Amino acid sequence: MLRSSLFAGSLLAALANGAALAAEPVSDVVSRTDSHGPVLNIVAPNITSKWFEKSDYVQIIEMFVENTDDKAYVTAANGLKISVKSSSLDTVVPGTLKRLAPKQSAIVQVGVRNKRGVKAGTACSAELVSEYHGGRHSGGGSGSSAGPSAKVSGSCGIGDFEASVQSVESHTNPDWFNDAKYGIFIHWGVYAAPAYGNVGENENYAEWYWNWMHRKGDKTATYEYHLETYGADFNYDDFFPNFTTKNFDPKAWVDLFSDAGAQYFVPTTKHHDGFAIFNFSESISRRSSVHYGPKRDIIGDLFAAARKHQPHLRLGTYFSMPEWYNPAYKRYGSGSFPGGPPTNPYTGAELEYTGYVEVDDFVRDIQLPQMQTLAYEYDVDIMWCDISGSPNNMTVLAAPWLNWARDRRRQVTFNNRCGLRGDFDTPEYTTNNETVEHKWEASRGMDPHSYGYNYQTPDDEYLTGESIARTLVDIVSKNGNFLLDIGPEHDGAIKEVMQRGLRDAGRWIKSHGEAIFNTRYWKVTPGLDPLRYTTTHDAFYIHHLGAPSGTLSIADPVPYLPGDKVTVVGGKQHGKTVPVKWDGIGKLSFELSDEVVQGDEYVWTFKIEYK
Ligand SMILES: *[C@@H]1O[C@H](CO)[C@@H](O)[C@H](O)[C@H]1NC(C)=O
Ligand SMILES: *[C@@H]1O[C@H](CO)[C@@H](O)[C@H](O)[C@H]1NC(C)=O
Ligand SMILES: *[C@@H]1O[C@H](CO)[C@@H](O)[C@H](O)[C@H]1NC(C)=O
Ligand SMILES: *[C@@H]1O[C@H](CO)[C@@H](O)[C@H](O)[C@H]1NC(C)=O
Ligand SMILES: *[C@@H]1O[C@H](CO)[C@@H](O)[C@H](O)[C@H]1NC(C)=O
């Protein structure tokens, strides 16, 4: 490591400790007397409810490991190993770290399993213990010695959830969701028939058309537009016949999502207009595409196509908890969700709520059984609810659903809008400007301000491949996922400009996937423009938004050490070695050849592979 380095002098300065390398034969260059190693702490450990995917329910204990020393690095040579000591648990996969720079911290996972005879879900405690070579207490750096330890308690084994807020809120977002990073959101329903949301500063969600219709003087001018275009006697439900599947090609849709580089997709199954596009018992409602419009189970056909043609895609369902004008929602109604029956905005006349079936209680008799249908019959991975403050029976839904999925070895997840805390937060048409540790997923349309299709939006206002790639990198570097929305037209066609943007971004994403998928955020700085960072166990990725010039200087304390291999990720020069200059932490620069600068598009990515 040292021997091959041209920067041995500065390396010695930075590693004056040397102990980070103590397991290597460097003690001849670094005097033992002033040598010391990284000083580690285990911080905020949790026994989570998640298990390693594809494992036999190997439960994950998650913690931060921090290195409080101001000079020493953790490297592979330290052989850091974290395991549990507990009367309830055995270690199956010890926690390890290949690199941790001075004054930095990282997430580490330990895989555990209940000891024989300990029932899944037993309240338990454990001690996390660690050992590594070259620690301060190692008495000279030979052999391993005890490192930090920490106590943790929780529920051992992947036990049952109960229908209580506390129990369901203890559910953890599964790692596959964190690994997946990029999904396609789809807003498709009857609102795609008028497909109107005004333009420019006056634009707003086209899928809210029916609600805007009731607001004379609203900036979208939907009330006025509707009157002029369709006349006062044309009611929202009269659009049903114009919602068709003439150009809906489920295979083409899922192939597009795959070309886009997405790992999951989330279609609206029922928006606030109450018109569902999936199939459920007629005894609760007939307001759906099965009974009106195309007379088709659209979600069923779409999911079947995904399972057959793109089985790597995870499946989510957007579901509106309330319905604006459902008569059964009246007793819960408030604000924008008054309940029904609906009225004609121009005459005030009371209207039929097409497909309405008389029920006792909206939540128990419509919302809950519809969600159960999605959960069990459509077998969703992600329950993506909308309108968080609404009345709901989420604990009743979630506990048996989580338990059922677990029995089928599936880790399902739900967002923060189902009435409970949820597994992940969902900023809408906005994003976080810094790292947020609770998992989050930012959504927005390719349209500048609408999820549903708006025919008035000019083509050049849709997100391009470049803006999608940059947004994705920015979000992922801060612990987010990106759920990017498209609005298909009333007949299921997807506009060319949206397809092009998705495919352009998809080219970049596929070529740079190793630096996006399965990565974690760097717990040091979110990265100021134009730099962003992502990490894995074995490597550190530096993303430059836009084209870099000849010398790329990186002032952030990235955990590079001489001996690490630095290469280009993606584009035409993928894998090419990049010459590096390093003068200690926070003083790293890359020399980029013209080929490298010209060899990529959108975002340039470099990999530091830890020695
Ligand atoms: C453990 O849980 C606490 C409370 O939710 C949280 O603040 C902390 O960040 C978690 N630790 C890790 C490593 O995620
Ligand atoms: C419905 O579709 C028909 C046939 O495509 C078209 O002529 C008509 O203008 C549409 N009506 C509405 C309200 O969109
Ligand atoms: C809806 O489900 C019912 C009951 O399972 C079934 O008979 C019917 O064919 C389904 N409809 C569609 C359009 O899939
Ligand atoms: C189900 O929802 C209704 C309506 O909000 C509520 O009154 C009831 O308490 C809920 N039941 C449970 C078990 O959450
Ligand atoms: C992010 O935004 C918050 C709230 O506006 C602000 O307090 C914070 O300083 C911002 N952080 C960065 C890194 O810009």
Side-chain angles (χ1 to χ4, degrees):
M1 193 167 183
L2 273 180
R3 287 166 218 287
S4 63
S5 170
L6 296 173
F7 304 101
S10 48
L11 175 68
L12 286 182
L15 286 183
N17 52 83
L21 307 169
E24 300 198 352
V26 294
S27 41
D28 50 346
V29 265
V30 181
S31 120
R32 265 194 206 291
T33 45
D34 41 279
S35 93
H36 63 273
V39 179
L40 304 181
N41 284 324
I42 293 174
V43 179
N46 294 316
I47 303 181
T48 73
S49 68
K50 60 190 178 182
W51 66 89
F52 289 119
E53 285 282 312
K54 297 194 180 114
S55 77
D56 191 19
Y57 301 108
V58 172
Q59 187 176 15
I60 297 172
I61 297 182
E62 208 162 58
M63 69 211 74
F64 296 112
V65 171
E66 70 178 15
N67 177 6
T68 61
D69 194 79
D70 53 12
K71 292 203 187 72
Y73 286 67
V74 175
T75 71
N78 290 107
L80 174 70
K81 201 171 129 191
I82 302 176
S83 46
V84 292
K85 249 175 38 196
S86 163
S87 55
S88 310
L89 296 170
D90 288 323
T91 306
V92 180
V93 184
T96 62
L97 258 186
K98 219 167 167 177
R99 178 67 51 84
L100 188 59
K103 295 284 177 209
Q104 298 190 9
S105 68
I107 291 175
V108 174
Q109 296 185 327
V110 176
V112 297
R113 200 186 339 254
N114 283 12
K115 285 191 191 294
R116 195 176 291 274
V118 179
K119 208 169 150 269
T122 304
C124 65
S125 61
E127 190 181 8
L128 291 156
V129 296
S130 65
E131 52 181 270
Y132 60 104
H133 309 286
R136 254 187 195 162
H137 316 290
S138 67
S142 63
S144 285
S145 66
S149 63
K151 291 206 159 48
V152 65
S153 59
S155 173
C156 284
I158 312 297
D160 278 347
F161 287 91
E162 290 158 19
S164 72
V165 172
Q166 198 204 358
S167 177
V168 173
E169 289 193 343
S170 73
H171 186 255
T172 329
N173 184 236
D175 280 353
W176 69 257
F177 183 81
N178 199 356
D179 291 339
K181 306 299 185 197
Y182 182 44
I184 303 296
F185 211 4
I186 305 140
H187 274 61
W188 194 38
V190 170
Y191 41 82
Y196 169 87
N198 214 332
V199 282
E201 284 179 6
N202 291 324
E203 187 185 12
N204 207 341
Y205 299 168
E207 66 277 14
W208 272 64
Y209 185 94
W210 195 12
N211 198 284
W212 304 145
M213 262 177 82
H214 290 81
R215 307 190 194 195
K216 193 174 178 180
D218 178 70
K219 71 169 187 175
T220 63
T222 305
Y223 174 96
E224 296 79 7
Y225 172 85
H226 186 87
L227 184 61
E228 201 170 294
T229 313
Y230 301 106
D233 294 337
F234 193 92
N235 294 305
Y236 184 80
D237 286 1
D238 296 332
F239 284 122
F240 285 10
N242 275 64
F243 176 63
T244 75
T245 51
K246 214 168 125 245
N247 285 310
F248 169 55
D249 180 344
K251 178 176 185 302
W253 278 32
V254 297
D255 288 349
L256 173 64
F257 306 156
S258 176
D259 288 351
Q263 305 298 310
Y264 61 101
F265 66 93
V266 183
T268 49
T269 63
K270 183 183 86 173
H271 205 263
H272 313 328
D273 62 3
F275 188 87
I277 60 170
F278 65 109
N279 193 7
F280 41 81
S281 166
E282 290 193 59
S283 66
I284 57 172
S285 167
R286 301 182 81 250
R287 191 175 174 82
S288 78
S289 62
V290 169
H291 300 285
Y292 298 94
K295 299 210 166 45
R296 185 163 168 186
D297 174 6
I298 290 169
I299 297 297
D301 292 347
L302 188 57
F303 280 12
R307 291 190 168 108
K308 178 161 177 206
H309 303 292
Q310 302 293 349
H312 68 288
L313 294 173
R314 300 270 189 166
L315 310 178
T317 48
Y318 167 104
F319 181 82
S320 174
M321 305 296 273
E323 294 177 20
W324 285 317
Y325 307 118
N326 190 313
Y329 199 70
K330 186 90 185 165
R331 61 186 266 217
Y332 299 112
S334 71
S336 297
F337 295 86
T343 54
N344 179 303
Y346 308 100
T347 64
E350 199 170 288
L351 303 171
E352 183 195 342
Y353 194 61
T354 311
Y356 179 62
V357 172
E358 197 120 346
V359 295
D360 287 339
D361 181 69
F362 178 84
V363 174
R364 193 191 56 214
D365 301 330
I366 298 176
Q367 182 198 82
L368 179 60
Q370 284 185 337
M371 290 175 80
Q372 285 166 332
T373 301
L374 293 173
Y376 298 106
E377 287 171 37
Y378 290 80
D379 228 352
V380 300
D381 297 306
I382 306 163
M383 186 68 77
W384 210 105
C385 307
D386 198 9
I387 311 301
S388 53
S390 321
N392 66 85
N393 280 171
M394 188 57 185
T395 56
V396 177
L397 175 96
W401 174 49
L402 295 170
N403 298 339
W404 172 84
R406 176 216 43 212
D407 290 345
R408 305 174 77 217
R409 297 181 177 275
R410 292 179 51 232
Q411 306 197 66
V412 294
T413 188
F414 56 96
N415 71 349
N416 64 334
R417 303 185 184 191
C418 303
L420 300 175
R421 172 90 180 87
D423 291 346
F424 58 96
D425 291 338
T426 51
E428 172 168 330
Y429 265 97
T430 183
T431 177
N432 286 313
N433 65 348
E434 52 195 5
T435 298
V436 173
E437 278 169 15
H438 186 69
K439 185 62 196 175
W440 56 281
E441 178 201 58
S443 74
R444 60 157 296 164
M446 288 184 76
D447 184 295
H449 207 70
S450 182
Y451 290 94
Y453 176 56
N454 179 3
Y455 81 90
Q456 292 189 325
T457 300
D459 276 7
D460 63 7
E461 289 199 5
Y462 285 93
L463 288 189
T464 60
E466 172 158 23
S467 47
I468 294 167
R470 291 173 73 124
T471 305
L472 175 66
V473 170
D474 175 64
I475 288 172
V476 168
S477 75
K478 294 166 182 163
N479 196 31
N481 278 19
F482 186 23
L483 184 61
L484 175 63
D485 177 84
I486 56 168
E489 295 179 70
H490 72 104
D491 60 358
I494 298 170
K495 280 219 6 162
E496 189 52 41
V497 63
M498 291 190 229
Q499 298 200 32
R500 188 162 62 239
L502 290 180
R503 289 205 172 88
D504 286 350
R507 261 200 330 275
W508 185 91
I509 291 166
K510 287 181 182 213
S511 161
H512 301 73
E514 70 162 279
I516 300 291
F517 305 120
N518 310 311
T519 64
R520 294 296 178 264
Y521 66 93
W522 185 35
K523 199 178 153 44
V524 173
T525 148
L528 296 174
D529 281 338
L531 295 173
R532 296 291 184 276
Y533 309 103
T534 53
T535 73
T536 65
H537 182 263
D538 299 310
F540 187 90
Y541 295 91
I542 297 170
H543 304 269
H544 189 278
L545 307 177
S549 55
T551 300
L552 174 56
S553 299
I554 300 146
D556 289 315
V558 306
Y560 172 84
L561 282 177
D564 290 348
K565 193 168 145 194
V566 177
T567 54
V568 174
V569 175
K572 296 195 186 98
Q573 300 292 317
H574 178 75
K576 192 184 173 86
T577 299
V578 176
V580 172
K581 201 164 152 9
W582 185 75
D583 286 312
I585 197 150
K587 292 178 196 148
L588 176 66
S589 59
F590 297 162
E591 286 308 324
L592 306 181
S593 64
D594 291 349
E595 292 76 50
V596 168
V597 171
Q598 284 149 23
D600 214 336
E601 57 181 352
Y602 308 162
V603 179
W604 276 247
T605 300
F606 305 94
K607 173 186 191 177
I608 297 174
E609 194 176 341
Y610 304 140
K611 183 184 143 71

